[in-house]
Amino acid sequence: STQSTWENMSDDEYGQGDAGANLTYPLSAGNIKKNCHVMIKEHPCKVSEVSVSKTGKHGHAKANVTGYDIFTGKKYEDVFPTSHNVDAPFMNKVNYEVVDYDQDDGSITYMDAEGDVKDDLTLTTDQNEELSDTLAGYVAEDKSCQVTVLQAMGKEQVVEVKTLLN
């Protein structure tokens, strides 16, 4: 007699989803539009170009997608059948009030929404020299400022620095 694979699996193997499963959601490839966010070759990307091509008589329409990694800016391209789903990253932007910044090692001390002081964020000059210099200037001048942090795929990156009106 034949048994299906899942019947032979132990409880440890069965029902344990990928740890990153909740980092993305399914999006129909036929619904990919410019400026939306999708995973291209396992990188969270902002779509810059989409073209849909029909293939032969019995073929499926395909979406040719070009996008840029939201963290590195690197360009990625891929082709998806429009009838299939692709992974799209859950994304979040949060603002944190900056308490201190050490430009030498890039560590940012900040206050989260609950008022807790944390120091697990970094912004090095290698990541973004302009933002790093701006933040260092605000902190040196004792200006109240905040950082906007983009969160996706379990990563965080500072994407904006701005002063707060007192």
Side-chain angles (χ1 to χ4, degrees):
S1 75
T2 59
Q3 287 188 311
S4 62
T5 310
W6 65 267
E7 288 175 347
N8 294 329
M9 294 172 73
S10 71
D11 288 340
D12 293 334
E13 295 172 289
Y14 185 67
Q16 297 296 315
D18 175 17
N22 63 347
L23 297 175
T24 62
Y25 61 93
L27 175 69
S28 168
N31 290 337
I32 297 174
K33 305 271 183 273
K34 186 176 177 176
N35 293 328
C36 77
H37 295 88
V38 297
M39 298 298 292
I40 302 177
K41 299 193 168 138
E42 297 182 21
H43 296 273
C45 294
K46 183 173 184 176
V47 175
S48 60
E49 205 177 312
V50 182
S51 61
V52 177
S53 60
K54 293 227 186 265
T55 53
K57 194 159 111 180
H58 300 291
H60 293 276
K62 299 218 182 325
N64 296 294
V65 181
T66 302
Y68 291 88
D69 186 305
I70 59 174
F71 293 118
T72 66
K74 190 172 176 203
K75 182 179 180 178
Y76 290 96
E77 297 175 295
D78 210 344
V79 178
F80 306 105
T82 55
S83 57
H84 292 199
N85 281 344
V86 297
D87 286 332
F90 281 113
M91 296 181 35
N92 191 24
K93 273 189 180 175
V94 288
N95 294 319
Y96 295 126
E97 189 172 339
V98 175
V99 176
D100 198 11
Y101 176 56
D102 182 342
Q103 194 171 17
D104 294 332
D105 69 6
S107 65
I108 299 172
T109 306
Y110 66 95
M111 198 179 318
D112 67 13
E114 287 75 40
D116 296 325
V117 175
K118 297 191 168 183
D119 60 1
D120 55 5
L121 265 182
T122 58
L123 173 62
T124 62
T125 50
D126 289 348
Q127 288 170 308
N128 190 321
E129 192 170 358
E130 185 182 338
L131 282 181
S132 177
D133 289 345
T134 301
L135 183 56
Y138 290 160
V139 170
E141 296 166 22
D142 262 344
K143 287 186 177 172
S144 294
C145 59
Q146 73 178 15
V147 289
T148 301
V149 177
L150 178 65
Q151 300 171 324
M153 301 308 294
K155 289 185 191 171
E156 290 187 317
Q157 183 169 310
V158 176
V159 293
E160 186 181 19
V161 174
K162 59 186 170 196
T163 58
L164 297 171
L165 299 172
N166 293 334

